Amino acid sequence: MELLIGCGTRRTKVLSRKDGPESWTDLVTLDLAPDHKPDVVHDLNVFPWPFEDNTFDEVHAYEVMEHLGTQGDFKRFFQDFSEIWRVLKPGGIFCGTSPMWNSRWAWGDPGHTRIISPECLIFLSQAQYEKQVGNTPMTDYRFCYEADFEPLELSHTQEGTFLYVLEAIKPSRFQRREF
């Protein structure tokens, strides 16, 4: 089963795992606006989302994540991605597109409130924390983030769209340390 969040009127599958299906399999659509006729009408700012844990093989968000939270609100950033991780099955994938930071659409759309970049997605991988915290200036957000994603694809188009495919690692590689 696959979930398309913030679907609007779009029902086209833009990204998939390299070995995954190019068309939808048991698609569930979600949007805030009922006039788009989604399967589920829900505000992504309300948590938890109306799905059970480990429900979906894939979650897709095309031009959506830059509308959630605000730049610099790290708690909300991690809450959004933790919710996606929660509804994904182990090994499930999250596919997203967002405007690149230097795209005219990055801040041109009045609804855009944050930038999604390859650099910020590093913070979603527990393996990156193990490699970088203490060795680089990377901030340790594990006090508020325990989910875990492995980047499978991080690329961009010449038109200025950032494409990302992340795999949900479950159980998380994070282990809270007692001091």
Side-chain angles (χ1 to χ4, degrees), residues 153-170:
E153 178 183 344
L154 303 174
S155 62
H156 61 86
T157 68
Q158 290 198 344
E159 294 78 31
T161 301
F162 174 43
L163 313 167
Y164 40 100
V165 179
L166 310 173
E167 180 180 2
I169 306 300
K170 294 186 175 187

Side-chain angles (χ1 to χ4, degrees), residues 67-125:
H67 292 266
L68 304 178
T70 56
Q71 194 69 24
D73 182 355
F74 66 89
K75 290 180 182 177
R76 176 59 195 272
F77 174 83
F78 291 115
Q79 185 177 22
D80 290 328
F81 281 95
S82 292
E83 193 65 7
I84 292 166
W85 184 83
R86 181 186 71 77
V87 302
L88 279 169
K89 293 178 180 177
I93 63 165
F94 172 58
C95 299
T97 63
S98 296
M100 290 289 294
W101 66 270
N102 59 350
S103 162
R104 67 186 201 156
W105 289 109
W107 296 112
D109 183 323
H112 290 181
T113 56
R114 76 164 64 243
I115 296 295
I116 303 296
S117 67
E119 293 79 13
C120 72
L121 296 183
I122 288 171
F123 290 89
L124 301 177
S125 169

Side-chain angles (χ1 to χ4, degrees), residues 3-4 7 28-33 37-42 50-51:
L3 173 64
L4 176 60
C7 64
V28 175
T29 57
L30 179 147
D31 200 272
L32 175 65
K37 298 181 177 45
D39 299 313
V40 178
V41 175
H42 183 76
F51 305 108

